[in-house]
């Protein structure tokens, strides 16, 4: 275990008590964890945390063999897979177009922590860009190639030898909350961008529902979520890397309230069961019935700029 950590931006400020007695409720593994809080920016820091050599088993529940096999069968049957990636790509293309950014053939995009490759596939489809991914999971890389025809380099970003200044877009979806050294990671991404290139990242952010639910907040997810950033934290990290923040969105995604309430009620491992391709009809009905109250509340929070997600668009000066 590593301990005695600091805010990735405010290294000289001593962290205070944040969220205590948090457990992994997503996959039903792991003991009690604590997040400490940075009083300067509001970021949460998992402390103590598993060291890089200890974290591996906690990722075993992310994409199981069963899930991948089931998704492959769906794709082979002509059904759509990668719906989250598709929505993210549509939103990204729309936002970049609004920001006056040119997309199209010849533009190079790298999706870091690309998972199953859906986002890269749909950025190629909707934005016309040349998109590839990097991910530490060989199983995900094989799936991305087979199902989405996306090339994925296996390993950490730091292990790759991409030339500096070679990319037009670097994207990461729910990746930066998992990295041990976010400042170094964002600096690495910034170096790979061409002058005028774009950095786009989405992470959870601890806001209204995080405060309300504390250790039962849906996106808390210890021990794989090592940090939760506030917009001020992310802005500082991005600016430290020499990038200019051009837009910060607070996207809407349903389930933050329903999932948090379900955890607070003591049900463990509910969300992965709901998203499993083998879910029971009763479970599906139970979850979707909760959308009756979840959707209005989470939609309102997003409209007020207080959802539990944050999406940052930043540019490398030309
Ligand atoms: Zn801070």
């Amino acid at each position: 275990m590593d301990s005695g950590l600091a805010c990735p931006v405010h290294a000289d400020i001593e962290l205070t008590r944040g969220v205590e007695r948090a457990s992994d409720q997503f996959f039903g593994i792991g003991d009690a964890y604590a997040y400490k809080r940075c009083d300067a920016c509001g970021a949460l820091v998992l402390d103590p945390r598993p060291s890089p050599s200890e974290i591996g088993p906690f990722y075993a529940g992310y994409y199981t063999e069963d899930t991948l096999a089931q998704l492959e069968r769906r794709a082979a049957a002509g059904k759509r897979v990668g719906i989250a990636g598709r929505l993210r790509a549509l939103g990204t293309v729309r936002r970049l177009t609004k920001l006056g950014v040119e997309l199209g053939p010849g533009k190079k995009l790298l999706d870091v922590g690309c998972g199953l490759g859906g986002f890269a596939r749909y950025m190629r489809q909707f934005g016309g860009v040349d998109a590839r991914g990097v991910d530490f999971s060989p199983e995900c890389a094989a799936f991305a190639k087979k199902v989405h025809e996306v090339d994925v380099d296996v390993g950490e970003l730091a292990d790759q030898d991409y030339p500096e200044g070679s990319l037009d877009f670097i994207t990461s979806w729910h990746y930066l909350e998992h990295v041990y050294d976010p400042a170094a990671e964002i600096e690495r991404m910034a170096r790979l961008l061409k002058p005028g290139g774009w950095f786009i990242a989405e992470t959870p952010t601890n806001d209204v529902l995080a405060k309300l639910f504390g250790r039962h907040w849906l996106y808390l997810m210890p021990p794989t979520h090592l940090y939760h950033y506030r917009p001020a934290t992310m802005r500082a990290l991005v600016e430290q890397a020499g990038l200019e923040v051009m837009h910060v969105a607070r996207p809407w995604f349903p389930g933050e309230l329903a999932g948090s309430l379900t955890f607070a009620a003591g049900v463990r491992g509910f969300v992965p069961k709901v998203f499993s391709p083998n879910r029971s009809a009763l479970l599906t009905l139970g979850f979707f019935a909760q959308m009756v109250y979840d959707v209005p509340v989470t939609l309102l929070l997003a409209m007020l700029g207080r959802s539990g997600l944050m999406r940052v668009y930043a540019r490398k000066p030309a």
Side-chain angles (χ1 to χ4, degrees), residues 7 10 38 41:
C7 169
H10 305 100
C38 170
C41 68

Side-chain angles (χ1 to χ4, degrees), residues 98-306:
K98 257 189 202 165
L99 289 164
V101 181
E102 222 178 284
L103 291 152
K107 299 278 182 176
K108 283 190 177 159
L109 180 148
L110 178 70
D111 191 30
V112 180
C114 68
L116 302 181
F119 175 74
R121 177 242 181 107
Y122 287 110
M123 279 306 287
R124 190 178 59 208
Q125 186 172 328
F126 301 134
V129 298
D130 165 10
R132 68 186 296 124
V134 55
D135 200 284
F136 71 79
S137 158
E139 293 82 15
C140 286
F143 182 96
K145 181 75 190 169
K146 190 168 174 189
V147 173
H148 297 307
E149 292 171 31
V150 166
D151 290 320
V152 175
D153 303 305
V154 177
E156 300 292 338
L157 179 61
D159 303 333
Q160 312 301 321
D161 50 2
Y162 305 125
E164 291 192 7
S166 64
L167 297 162
D168 297 281
F169 303 97
I170 293 192
T171 56
S172 69
W173 300 89
H174 295 251
Y175 169 75
L176 290 171
E177 67 272 27
H178 297 272
V179 305
Y180 280 82
D181 187 346
E185 198 78 9
I186 296 174
E187 274 162 24
R188 188 171 293 122
M189 293 178 177
R191 281 198 301 273
L192 296 178
L193 283 174
K194 289 180 186 170
W198 286 80
F199 163 88
I200 301 156
E202 184 178 286
T203 65
T205 181
N206 44 308
D207 206 317
V208 174
L209 294 181
K211 281 195 197 98
L212 195 61
F213 285 98
R215 66 196 185 100
H216 295 121
W217 178 44
L218 175 65
Y219 299 146
L220 194 63
M221 289 180 67
T224 61
H225 286 185
L226 305 177
Y227 295 100
H228 286 288
Y229 312 101
R230 296 291 298 138
T233 329
M234 188 56 77
R235 183 174 284 274
L237 282 169
V238 166
E239 285 173 355
Q240 273 173 18
L243 305 172
E244 286 176 88
V245 176
M246 305 305 285
H247 184 76
V248 180
R250 299 297 293 276
W252 173 63
F253 195 79
E256 191 186 354
L257 176 59
S260 302
L261 267 173
T262 307
F263 288 164
V267 183
R268 289 169 76 104
F270 181 74
V271 173
K273 278 185 206 137
V274 166
F275 288 102
S276 155
N278 305 313
R279 63 177 174 256
S280 76
L282 190 65
L283 199 64
T284 310
L285 188 71
F287 186 75
F288 288 101
Q290 294 191 68
M291 292 301 120
V292 173
Y293 66 82
D294 178 281
V295 168
V297 174
T298 53
L299 199 54
L300 179 68
L301 287 173
M303 284 162 65
L304 296 171
R306 307 296 297 273

